[in-house]
Amino acid sequence: MALSLGFHIIFACIGMVMPFFMAVAHYKWLRTGNEVYRNLTKAWSKGVAIFFATGAVSGTVLSFELGLLWPVFMEHAGPIFGMPFSLEGTAFFIEAIALGFFLYGWNRFNAWFHWFTGVVVGISGLVSGILVVAANAWMNSPAGFDYVNGEYLNIDPIKAMFNDAWFSQALHMSIAAFVATGFAVAGIHALMMLKGKNVAFHAKAFRIAAAFGAVAAILQPISGDISAKDVARRQPAKLAAMEAHFHTEEKAPLIIGGIPDMQEKKVNYAIKIPGGLSFLAHGDFNAEVTGLDKIPEENQPPVAVTHYAFQIMVGLGVVMMIIALLYFLALWKKKQWLQKRWLLRLFVIATPMGFIAIEAGWTVTEVGRQPWIINGIMRTADAVTPMPGIVYSFYIFTAVYLSLSFIVAFLLYRQIRMVGKLYDHSSEPSKAI
């Protein structure tokens, strides 16, 4: 399940965001008549189609795995949180239909209606992602039922879908998707500009992607703060694992980096900011923060994995936020920076950072909830299938995902090379930026 989710989440995020890049480029073509924007729209639309198909395949595998790997979980949880999944299916169908209209609607539809179908692709993809996150949020904050003597009674699917965690998780995940996709796309186009290939074309693509990614990177700490306060209230064990916070105390320090020592119950080589964790968790530098010492050992998450993943997520997020601030400073005050190759190199270096941060953040969400699959209600060990031979299906799914990865990489590489042959041949990156 971890392999499948780790693979699918990349394509899901790209599918949520890339249609908006495509729609902006299309809008600019309709408003300006500049053929470069039309070419860019067509190039990006082919990428959207590739990622949509791959995301559909990997998402379908996930739906089968829910029943195959977690039968006890689905038996009890299915009727409760099935609504967001069914609505997600509806959003997926709308996205598929709208994408078909957009891909085959050139010179067949009214120009603005054709543009609108591209917008629908983006909106439906974003809604689809939010609905899936709502289902996961329910696992972190179960609601919409009464748990009495091992039975799930008085089920309310609406309350389950709009649980206490859905907003903070959906907001954080949606912004993360824009950060990751924005920086990845901008980095690829920045690399092409540094090579002096089709600079006018890639510069326009870079500016659209960089704008989305940079704005999202600056907003992400706000959503992170909302998420941290929510986790502190609902899942103190997860927060304690994220920060490797072993001892309950007031004025709890914020830990940056460090290596958790599970035997000595301390963190070595860490930078500590006094009162920082208390403030981030409760908005008060003097507030008490629950440590792992208040959590029964059998209910504690794996501390090292959760802590390292959290540090990776936050660290990469900070790096991308700094790059975003530099980019906007260049646009606003330091125009001469736009003529420097180092700015493009920063985006190239940041190309994979967003998706690494997403994988790390998803690890925090899932590993930090352990040992529960439904927080405080059902343990993961009680939900997993007892069926033998599952390892062979794991090998099959791994082979499928590796094959899809190679195919997607090949198709994207070919698409980029085709763009290089078809479009503009300017060679001055500084002017184009």
Side-chain angles (χ1 to χ4, degrees):
M1 197 73 183
L3 173 75
S4 302
L5 284 168
F7 182 90
H8 177 71
I9 196 171
I10 295 174
F11 298 100
C13 289
I14 295 172
M16 290 165 61
V17 175
M18 275 296 294
F20 290 104
F21 296 0
M22 179 182 75
V24 169
H26 195 180
Y27 176 81
K28 284 181 171 289
W29 173 60
L30 292 175
R31 295 293 295 179
T32 66
N34 189 328
E35 284 295 313
V36 175
Y37 284 118
R38 182 177 185 273
N39 296 335
L40 177 57
T41 303
K42 286 195 170 187
W44 273 348
S45 68
K46 292 175 182 177
V48 169
I50 292 170
F51 285 114
F52 177 83
T54 312
V57 172
S58 57
T60 301
V61 171
L62 277 171
S63 65
F64 284 119
E65 285 181 349
L66 283 172
L68 176 68
L69 301 177
W70 311 102
V72 179
F73 170 71
M74 291 305 295
E75 176 187 355
H76 297 290
I80 305 172
F81 80 153
M83 178 171 284
F85 278 126
S86 62
L87 292 176
E88 190 275 336
T90 302
F92 173 80
F93 290 137
I94 294 173
E95 183 181 7
I97 293 168
L99 181 59
F101 280 176
F102 187 84
L103 291 175
Y104 298 102
W106 290 96
N107 303 320
R108 291 181 174 87
F109 293 138
N110 172 274
W112 285 104
F113 175 77
H114 184 221
W115 170 80
F116 176 71
T117 61
V119 175
V120 171
V121 173
I123 293 174
S124 55
L126 186 60
V127 170
S128 179
I130 289 173
L131 288 167
V132 171
V133 171
N136 177 265
W138 177 83
M139 296 163 68
N140 290 313
S141 179
F145 66 96
D146 294 323
Y147 187 64
V148 182
N149 297 325
E151 295 187 20
Y152 299 78
L153 308 173
N154 303 322
I155 294 173
D156 183 348
I158 299 295
K159 189 175 180 181
M161 184 167 66
F162 295 107
N163 56 79
D164 290 343
W166 85 269
F167 175 76
S168 61
Q169 279 197 214
L171 177 66
H172 196 59
M173 187 68 216
S174 299
I175 295 177
F178 276 93
V179 175
T181 307
F183 272 85
V185 174
I188 291 170
H189 289 289
L191 178 62
M192 300 305 291
M193 293 165 65
L194 286 171
K195 291 183 176 181
K197 297 180 179 179
N198 318 299
V199 174
F201 174 89
H202 290 293
K204 287 179 169 52
F206 171 81
R207 294 195 69 170
I208 293 172
F212 273 99
V215 170
I218 293 171
L219 293 176
Q220 187 68 304
I222 299 173
S223 71
D225 181 66
I226 295 172
S227 294
K229 287 179 169 57
D230 181 63
V231 168
R233 179 174 58 86
R234 291 182 301 94
Q235 295 177 286
K238 178 184 285 187
L239 180 70
M242 288 160 56
E243 278 292 318
H245 183 59
F246 290 102
H247 305 289
T248 301
E249 60 182 317
E250 296 178 351
K251 299 181 180 179
L254 178 67
I255 293 176
I256 300 174
I259 301 174
D261 185 336
M262 298 304 297
Q263 297 297 323
E264 299 293 329
K265 307 297 182 186
K266 64 179 183 179
V267 183
N268 298 318
Y269 314 113
I271 299 172
K272 297 184 178 182
I273 302 175
L277 182 58
S278 293
F279 179 77
L280 289 177
H282 302 292
D284 181 356
F285 285 102
N286 298 311
E288 180 180 272
V289 179
T290 302
L292 289 166
D293 57 348
K294 288 279 186 77
I295 311 297
E297 191 169 338
E298 66 273 13
N299 293 339
Q300 293 181 9
V303 176
V305 174
T306 308
H307 176 70
Y308 293 141
F310 179 67
Q311 295 295 316
I312 290 170
M313 178 188 70
V314 173
L316 292 177
V318 170
V319 171
M320 289 184 289
M321 182 184 69
I322 292 172
I323 295 174
L325 291 172
L326 289 173
Y327 179 64
F328 282 127
L329 181 61
L331 289 175
W332 182 40
K333 285 284 188 181
K334 302 287 187 177
K335 298 290 185 182
Q336 67 273 21
W337 288 3
L338 297 175
Q339 301 176 17
K340 306 296 183 182
R341 296 174 68 88
W342 63 262
L343 186 61
L344 291 177
R345 290 195 180 100
L346 285 177
F347 277 93
V348 172
I349 294 169
T351 299
M353 287 184 182
F355 288 111
I356 295 173
I358 282 179
E359 297 286 4
W362 198 252
T363 300
V364 171
T365 299
E366 297 302 294
V367 177
R369 189 180 59 247
Q370 300 310 309
W372 307 100
I373 191 168
I374 305 176
N375 190 46
I377 303 292
M378 180 185 290
R379 289 180 176 270
T380 305
D382 297 329
V384 73
T385 179
M387 187 173 70
I390 289 295
V391 66
Y392 299 108
S393 65
F394 171 71
Y395 296 149
I396 293 171
F397 287 140
T398 301
V400 170
Y401 288 139
L402 288 174
S403 300
L404 284 173
S405 298
F406 286 123
I407 292 169
V408 169
F410 169 74
L411 290 174
L412 291 176
Y413 175 72
R414 189 178 70 170
Q415 178 65 18
I416 292 171
R417 290 200 65 181
M418 288 175 61
V419 167
K421 293 178 180 178
L422 289 175
Y423 304 136
D424 175 72
H425 297 282
S426 172
S427 59
E428 281 293 330
S430 60
K431 292 181 180 178
I433 299 176

PDB file of all heavy atoms in Angstrom, residues 256-275:
ATOM      1  N   ILE A 256      15.096  21.339  15.622  1.00  0.00           N
ATOM      2  CA  ILE A 256      15.471  21.359  14.207  1.00  0.00           C
ATOM      3  C   ILE A 256      16.587  20.348  14.004  1.00  0.00           C
ATOM      4  O   ILE A 256      17.665  20.459  14.587  1.00  0.00           O
ATOM      5  CB  ILE A 256      15.931  22.759  13.766  1.00  0.00           C
ATOM      6  CG1 ILE A 256      14.805  23.775  13.980  1.00  0.00           C
ATOM      7  CG2 ILE A 256      16.353  22.740  12.296  1.00  0.00           C
ATOM      8  CD1 ILE A 256      15.205  25.203  13.702  1.00  0.00           C
ATOM      9  N   GLY A 257      16.324  19.346  13.159  1.00  0.00           N
ATOM     10  CA  GLY A 257      17.310  18.303  12.908  1.00  0.00           C
ATOM     11  C   GLY A 257      17.414  17.360  14.087  1.00  0.00           C
ATOM     12  O   GLY A 257      16.470  17.134  14.841  1.00  0.00           O
ATOM     13  N   GLY A 258      18.592  16.813  14.283  1.00  0.00           N
ATOM     14  CA  GLY A 258      18.828  15.939  15.412  1.00  0.00           C
ATOM     15  C   GLY A 258      18.580  14.466  15.123  1.00  0.00           C
ATOM     16  O   GLY A 258      17.881  14.114  14.173  1.00  0.00           O
ATOM     17  N   ILE A 259      19.155  13.618  15.971  1.00  0.00           N
ATOM     18  CA  ILE A 259      19.008  12.175  15.871  1.00  0.00           C
ATOM     19  C   ILE A 259      18.356  11.674  17.155  1.00  0.00           C
ATOM     20  O   ILE A 259      18.944  11.774  18.235  1.00  0.00           O
ATOM     21  CB  ILE A 259      20.378  11.487  15.680  1.00  0.00           C
ATOM     22  CG1 ILE A 259      21.044  12.012  14.402  1.00  0.00           C
ATOM     23  CG2 ILE A 259      20.215   9.971  15.626  1.00  0.00           C
ATOM     24  CD1 ILE A 259      22.458  11.492  14.204  1.00  0.00           C
ATOM     25  N   PRO A 260      17.131  11.143  17.076  1.00  0.00           N
ATOM     26  CA  PRO A 260      16.453  10.646  18.282  1.00  0.00           C
ATOM     27  C   PRO A 260      17.184   9.444  18.886  1.00  0.00           C
ATOM     28  O   PRO A 260      17.592   8.529  18.173  1.00  0.00           O
ATOM     29  CB  PRO A 260      15.072  10.235  17.769  1.00  0.00           C
ATOM     30  CG  PRO A 260      14.896  10.949  16.476  1.00  0.00           C
ATOM     31  CD  PRO A 260      16.265  11.060  15.887  1.00  0.00           C
ATOM     32  N   ASP A 261      17.358   9.471  20.195  1.00  0.00           N
ATOM     33  CA  ASP A 261      17.939   8.365  20.944  1.00  0.00           C
ATOM     34  C   ASP A 261      16.815   7.736  21.765  1.00  0.00           C
ATOM     35  O   ASP A 261      16.424   8.260  22.810  1.00  0.00           O
ATOM     36  CB  ASP A 261      19.056   8.873  21.854  1.00  0.00           C
ATOM     37  CG  ASP A 261      19.788   7.745  22.575  1.00  0.00           C
ATOM     38  OD1 ASP A 261      19.200   6.665  22.746  1.00  0.00           O
ATOM     39  OD2 ASP A 261      20.943   7.959  22.976  1.00  0.00           O
ATOM     40  N   MET A 262      16.296   6.596  21.280  1.00  0.00           N
ATOM     41  CA  MET A 262      15.138   5.991  21.915  1.00  0.00           C
ATOM     42  C   MET A 262      15.479   5.404  23.284  1.00  0.00           C
ATOM     43  O   MET A 262      14.597   5.285  24.143  1.00  0.00           O
ATOM     44  CB  MET A 262      14.560   4.904  21.006  1.00  0.00           C
ATOM     45  CG  MET A 262      14.062   5.414  19.664  1.00  0.00           C
ATOM     46  SD  MET A 262      12.820   6.723  19.837  1.00  0.00           S
ATOM     47  CE  MET A 262      11.509   5.838  20.689  1.00  0.00           C
ATOM     48  N   GLN A 263      16.722   5.038  23.497  1.00  0.00           N
ATOM     49  CA  GLN A 263      17.108   4.468  24.783  1.00  0.00           C
ATOM     50  C   GLN A 263      17.179   5.552  25.861  1.00  0.00           C
ATOM     51  O   GLN A 263      16.647   5.393  26.962  1.00  0.00           O
ATOM     52  CB  GLN A 263      18.472   3.768  24.651  1.00  0.00           C
ATOM     53  CG  GLN A 263      18.482   2.594  23.690  1.00  0.00           C
ATOM     54  CD  GLN A 263      17.563   1.476  24.127  1.00  0.00           C
ATOM     55  OE1 GLN A 263      17.443   1.191  25.330  1.00  0.00           O
ATOM     56  NE2 GLN A 263      16.922   0.816  23.174  1.00  0.00           N
ATOM     57  N   GLU A 264      17.822   6.642  25.532  1.00  0.00           N
ATOM     58  CA  GLU A 264      18.003   7.729  26.500  1.00  0.00           C
ATOM     59  C   GLU A 264      16.846   8.728  26.489  1.00  0.00           C
ATOM     60  O   GLU A 264      16.815   9.643  27.315  1.00  0.00           O
ATOM     61  CB  GLU A 264      19.310   8.466  26.206  1.00  0.00           C
ATOM     62  CG  GLU A 264      20.562   7.602  26.317  1.00  0.00           C
ATOM     63  CD  GLU A 264      20.817   7.152  27.739  1.00  0.00           C
ATOM     64  OE1 GLU A 264      20.448   7.901  28.677  1.00  0.00           O
ATOM     65  OE2 GLU A 264      21.369   6.051  27.918  1.00  0.00           O
ATOM     66  N   LYS A 265      15.924   8.564  25.546  1.00  0.00           N
ATOM     67  CA  LYS A 265      14.772   9.465  25.429  1.00  0.00           C
ATOM     68  C   LYS A 265      15.211  10.927  25.253  1.00  0.00           C
ATOM     69  O   LYS A 265      14.785  11.834  25.973  1.00  0.00           O
ATOM     70  CB  LYS A 265      13.850   9.356  26.654  1.00  0.00           C
ATOM     71  CG  LYS A 265      13.398   7.945  26.979  1.00  0.00           C
ATOM     72  CD  LYS A 265      12.564   7.352  25.859  1.00  0.00           C
ATOM     73  CE  LYS A 265      12.061   5.959  26.203  1.00  0.00           C
ATOM     74  NZ  LYS A 265      11.364   5.302  25.082  1.00  0.00           N
ATOM     75  N   LYS A 266      16.078  11.132  24.278  1.00  0.00           N
ATOM     76  CA  LYS A 266      16.532  12.488  23.996  1.00  0.00           C
ATOM     77  C   LYS A 266      16.907  12.583  22.522  1.00  0.00           C
ATOM     78  O   LYS A 266      16.942  11.576  21.801  1.00  0.00           O
ATOM     79  CB  LYS A 266      17.723  12.863  24.869  1.00  0.00           C
ATOM     80  CG  LYS A 266      18.974  12.020  24.619  1.00  0.00           C
ATOM     81  CD  LYS A 266      20.117  12.467  25.511  1.00  0.00           C
ATOM     82  CE  LYS A 266      21.389  11.668  25.211  1.00  0.00           C
ATOM     83  NZ  LYS A 266      22.538  12.105  26.050  1.00  0.00           N
ATOM     84  N   VAL A 267      17.185  13.806  22.074  1.00  0.00           N
ATOM     85  CA  VAL A 267      17.561  14.042  20.685  1.00  0.00           C
ATOM     86  C   VAL A 267      18.970  14.625  20.667  1.00  0.00           C
ATOM     87  O   VAL A 267      19.222  15.675  21.266  1.00  0.00           O
ATOM     88  CB  VAL A 267      16.581  15.012  19.980  1.00  0.00           C
ATOM     89  CG1 VAL A 267      16.958  15.169  18.517  1.00  0.00           C
ATOM     90  CG2 VAL A 267      15.154  14.497  20.099  1.00  0.00           C
ATOM     91  N   ASN A 268      19.853  13.944  19.992  1.00  0.00           N
ATOM     92  CA  ASN A 268      21.246  14.401  19.907  1.00  0.00           C
ATOM     93  C   ASN A 268      21.461  15.286  18.678  1.00  0.00           C
ATOM     94  O   ASN A 268      20.828  15.093  17.649  1.00  0.00           O
ATOM     95  CB  ASN A 268      22.182  13.194  19.831  1.00  0.00           C
ATOM     96  CG  ASN A 268      22.096  12.320  21.069  1.00  0.00           C
ATOM     97  OD1 ASN A 268      22.044  12.829  22.194  1.00  0.00           O
ATOM     98  ND2 ASN A 268      22.067  11.011  20.877  1.00  0.00           N
ATOM     99  N   TYR A 269      22.376  16.248  18.815  1.00  0.00           N
ATOM    100  CA  TYR A 269      22.839  17.095  17.710  1.00  0.00           C
ATOM    101  C   TYR A 269      21.721  17.964  17.121  1.00  0.00           C
ATOM    102  O   TYR A 269      21.774  18.320  15.941  1.00  0.00           O
ATOM    103  CB  TYR A 269      23.463  16.244  16.598  1.00  0.00           C
ATOM    104  CG  TYR A 269      24.417  15.195  17.096  1.00  0.00           C
ATOM    105  CD1 TYR A 269      24.107  13.843  16.967  1.00  0.00           C
ATOM    106  CD2 TYR A 269      25.611  15.549  17.721  1.00  0.00           C
ATOM    107  CE1 TYR A 269      24.977  12.865  17.432  1.00  0.00           C
ATOM    108  CE2 TYR A 269      26.484  14.577  18.199  1.00  0.00           C
ATOM    109  CZ  TYR A 269      26.154  13.242  18.050  1.00  0.00           C
ATOM    110  OH  TYR A 269      27.020  12.281  18.525  1.00  0.00           O
ATOM    111  N   ALA A 270      20.731  18.303  17.906  1.00  0.00           N
ATOM    112  CA  ALA A 270      19.617  19.106  17.399  1.00  0.00           C
ATOM    113  C   ALA A 270      19.790  20.575  17.771  1.00  0.00           C
ATOM    114  O   ALA A 270      20.428  20.908  18.777  1.00  0.00           O
ATOM    115  CB  ALA A 270      18.292  18.604  17.953  1.00  0.00           C
ATOM    116  N   ILE A 271      19.234  21.437  16.942  1.00  0.00           N
ATOM    117  CA  ILE A 271      19.123  22.859  17.277  1.00  0.00           C
ATOM    118  C   ILE A 271      17.781  23.055  17.973  1.00  0.00           C
ATOM    119  O   ILE A 271      16.745  22.623  17.470  1.00  0.00           O
ATOM    120  CB  ILE A 271      19.201  23.730  16.013  1.00  0.00           C
ATOM    121  CG1 ILE A 271      20.543  23.521  15.304  1.00  0.00           C
ATOM    122  CG2 ILE A 271      18.994  25.202  16.358  1.00  0.00           C
ATOM    123  CD1 ILE A 271      20.613  24.199  13.946  1.00  0.00           C
ATOM    124  N   LYS A 272      17.794  23.690  19.142  1.00  0.00           N
ATOM    125  CA  LYS A 272      16.567  23.850  19.913  1.00  0.00           C
ATOM    126  C   LYS A 272      16.224  25.331  20.069  1.00  0.00           C
ATOM    127  O   LYS A 272      17.071  26.132  20.466  1.00  0.00           O
ATOM    128  CB  LYS A 272      16.707  23.193  21.285  1.00  0.00           C
ATOM    129  CG  LYS A 272      16.912  21.681  21.223  1.00  0.00           C
ATOM    130  CD  LYS A 272      16.950  21.061  22.614  1.00  0.00           C
ATOM    131  CE  LYS A 272      17.113  19.545  22.528  1.00  0.00           C
ATOM    132  NZ  LYS A 272      17.113  18.903  23.863  1.00  0.00           N
ATOM    133  N   ILE A 273      14.982  25.652  19.743  1.00  0.00           N
ATOM    134  CA  ILE A 273      14.481  27.022  19.898  1.00  0.00           C
ATOM    135  C   ILE A 273      13.544  27.032  21.096  1.00  0.00           C
ATOM    136  O   ILE A 273      12.446  26.470  21.033  1.00  0.00           O
ATOM    137  CB  ILE A 273      13.748  27.495  18.629  1.00  0.00           C
ATOM    138  CG1 ILE A 273      14.692  27.406  17.419  1.00  0.00           C
ATOM    139  CG2 ILE A 273      13.222  28.913  18.812  1.00  0.00           C
ATOM    140  CD1 ILE A 273      14.017  27.738  16.105  1.00  0.00           C
ATOM    141  N   PRO A 274      13.919  27.638  22.207  1.00  0.00           N
ATOM    142  CA  PRO A 274      13.108  27.598  23.435  1.00  0.00           C
ATOM    143  C   PRO A 274      11.687  28.126  23.200  1.00  0.00           C
ATOM    144  O   PRO A 274      11.495  29.195  22.618  1.00  0.00           O
ATOM    145  CB  PRO A 274      13.879  28.506  24.394  1.00  0.00           C
ATOM    146  CG  PRO A 274      15.280  28.493  23.882  1.00  0.00           C
ATOM    147  CD  PRO A 274      15.175  28.388  22.391  1.00  0.00           C
ATOM    148  N   GLY A 275      10.719  27.337  23.652  1.00  0.00           N
ATOM    149  CA  GLY A 275       9.313  27.737  23.555  1.00  0.00           C
ATOM    150  C   GLY A 275       8.724  27.650  22.165  1.00  0.00           C
ATOM    151  O   GLY A 275       7.526  27.881  21.979  1.00  0.00           O
TER     152      GLY A 275
END
